[in-house]
């Protein structure tokens, strides 16, 4: 047997042995994953977020809807809450005993999330894995950092940015210049001090703005009034008999609608704010071609 033939034979035998080994090798076990929570989303009724040195954010669920109860009573962005609750489906490849928590940045977690009677603390990061350490009960896990990034930095980030919240259906608007009220199924203008008329289509689209236009920014508490030069008031009567009074604040860059009942300020750019305060501001847009 020549030298080259011997090398070919050795290579053939090695390859054949490798194929036999791979064929008969027992299958490797699937990667074990540990659930971080053990309760389905449908059974959850309360949610709290606590960041160090910040106010607690608390939500409660009624039926299918979540609502903020701390630090203010307000409707919330349901999609953002559902994104937070995705952590209920989180799985981890690593489960460690909850010991030596300082090593994981969990001795004093920067954020704690409470979902009903279960809590999870968010700690440091594992740079090689690009994952974050979290603690629930007696164990520490490594999970994707996206779950922590979905938690709001302030309550304002969770609040529904639309002025009229779900279920707040208007029946009458009382503005300084005039009133618009629902009468016999139609919107009617009363006490009008301006010469030009308001088309019905304009009124309908104007009311839709109150129910759908998101504020550019939300503030909670008295910060909305800082730097505001002009103030006025408007009132909205609802179909359920309630009345919401708004303070209208103006400065050089924005118009702010402040709800005194919960202290939330809805900040709009000047033009968008004008369109909420006066349907005449949107009427020229509706009459232009293409609108």
């Amino acid at each position: 047997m020549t030298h080259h033939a011997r090398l070919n034979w050795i290579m053939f035998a090695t390859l054949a042995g490798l194929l036999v080994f791979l064929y008969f090798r027992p299958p490797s076990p699937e990667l074990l994953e540990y659930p971080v929570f053990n309760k389905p989303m449908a059974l959850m009724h309360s949610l709290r977020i606590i960041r160090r040195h910040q106010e607690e954010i608390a939500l409660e669920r009624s039926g299918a809807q979540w609502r903020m109860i701390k630090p203010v009573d307000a409707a919330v962005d349901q999609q953002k809450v559902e994104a937070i609750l995705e952590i209920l489906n989180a799985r981890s490849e690593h489960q460690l005993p909850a010991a030596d928590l300082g090593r994981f940045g969990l001795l004093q977690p920067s954020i704690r999330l409470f979902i009903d009677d279960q809590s999870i603390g968010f700690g440091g990061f594992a740079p090689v894995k690009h994952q974050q350490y979290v603690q629930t009960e007696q164990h520490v896990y490594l999970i994707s950092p996206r779950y922590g990034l979905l938690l709001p930095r302030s309550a304002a980030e969770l609040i529904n940015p639309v002025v009229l919240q779900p279920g707040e259906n208007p029946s009458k608007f009382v503005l300084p210049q005039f009133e618009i009220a629902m009468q016999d199924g139609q919107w009617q203008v009363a006490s009008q001090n301006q010469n030009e008329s308001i088309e019905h289509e304009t009124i309908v689209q104007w009311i839709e703005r109150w129910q759908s236009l998101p504020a550019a920014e939300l503030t909670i508490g008295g910060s909305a009034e800082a730097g505001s030069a002009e103030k006025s008031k408007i009132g909205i009567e609802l179909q359920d008999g309630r009345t919401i009074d708004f303070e209208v604040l103006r400065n050089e860059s924005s118009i702010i609608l402040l709800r005194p009942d919960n202290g939330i300020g809805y900040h709009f750019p000047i033009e968008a704010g004008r369109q909420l305060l006066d349907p005449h501001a949107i009427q020229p847009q509706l009459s232009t071609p293409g609108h």
Side-chain angles (χ1 to χ4, degrees):
M1 182 181 293
T2 64
H3 175 69
H4 290 291
R6 188 181 297 110
L7 287 177
N8 289 338
W9 170 252
I10 293 172
M11 291 175 62
F12 174 80
T14 302
L15 181 60
L18 179 61
L19 291 174
V20 171
F21 169 78
L22 292 175
Y23 184 83
F24 288 102
R25 182 185 62 174
S28 58
E30 292 186 5
L31 195 61
L32 186 60
E33 291 188 334
Y34 302 93
V36 176
F37 278 92
N38 54 19
K39 201 172 184 180
M41 186 184 301
L43 299 179
M44 298 300 175
H45 294 93
S46 67
L47 186 154
R48 292 187 297 139
I49 302 166
I50 301 178
R51 288 181 181 267
R52 278 188 296 183
H53 314 304
Q54 292 190 24
E55 284 186 308
E56 173 184 334
I57 301 171
L59 283 68
E60 285 186 351
R61 192 177 77 173
S62 177
Q65 299 295 308
W66 288 88
R67 186 173 184 84
M68 184 176 294
I69 57 173
K70 285 184 180 180
V72 295
D73 180 72
V76 295
D77 187 319
Q78 301 296 320
Q79 291 184 341
K80 289 184 178 180
V81 178
E82 291 172 5
I84 292 171
L85 292 174
E86 287 179 9
I87 196 170
L88 296 172
N89 300 319
R91 298 288 188 272
S92 175
E93 299 174 12
H94 305 275
Q95 183 188 68
L96 306 170
D100 193 15
L101 295 178
R103 183 161 64 99
F104 308 115
L106 289 164
L107 196 58
Q108 292 183 321
S110 58
I111 313 172
R112 282 197 177 276
L113 172 65
F114 294 82
I115 302 178
D116 283 356
D117 57 350
Q118 292 185 274
S119 70
I120 178 169
F122 291 78
F125 296 86
V128 176
K129 291 282 188 179
H130 302 292
Q131 293 182 316
Q132 186 172 18
Y133 290 107
V134 296
Q135 178 195 358
T136 63
E137 298 180 347
Q138 303 303 313
H139 294 100
V140 172
Y141 303 91
L142 270 175
I143 62 174
S144 168
R146 76 180 186 90
Y147 296 107
L149 294 174
L150 289 170
L151 299 177
R153 291 165 294 179
S154 67
E157 293 184 11
L158 270 185
I159 295 174
N160 187 330
V162 177
V163 178
L164 289 181
Q165 302 175 6
E168 294 180 341
N169 301 308
S171 61
K172 185 177 183 180
F173 291 80
V174 181
L175 298 99
Q177 307 95 329
F178 48 83
E179 297 180 1
I180 296 179
M182 174 67 73
Q183 297 178 3
D184 300 324
Q186 295 288 325
W187 290 103
Q188 304 291 335
V189 180
S191 304
Q192 188 170 350
N193 296 324
Q194 301 188 32
N195 294 326
E196 63 269 34
S197 62
I198 306 176
E199 296 179 1
H200 182 265
E201 181 185 356
T202 300
I203 296 176
V204 171
Q205 294 205 19
W206 176 68
I207 293 170
E208 287 177 355
R209 275 173 164 78
W210 278 91
Q211 297 174 313
S212 62
L213 184 66
E217 180 187 356
L218 297 179
T219 52
I220 299 174
S223 59
E225 299 188 56
S228 299
E230 299 182 37
K231 297 182 180 181
S232 59
K233 291 187 177 182
I234 60 174
I236 299 179
E237 296 180 12
L238 305 180
Q239 294 177 12
D240 60 10
R242 292 180 294 153
T243 298
I244 305 174
D245 294 314
F246 290 92
E247 292 183 10
V248 182
L249 313 175
R250 303 170 189 260
N251 55 39
E252 293 181 355
S253 61
S254 61
I255 292 176
I256 306 163
L257 301 179
L258 177 63
R259 286 187 64 150
D261 60 341
N262 57 19
I264 298 175
Y266 298 80
H267 297 240
F268 294 91
I270 294 292
E271 185 59 30
R274 285 183 62 248
Q275 292 176 10
L276 284 176
L277 299 178
D278 187 356
H280 294 88
I282 67 172
Q283 188 160 328
Q285 297 184 17
L286 297 175
S287 61
T288 57
H291 287 74

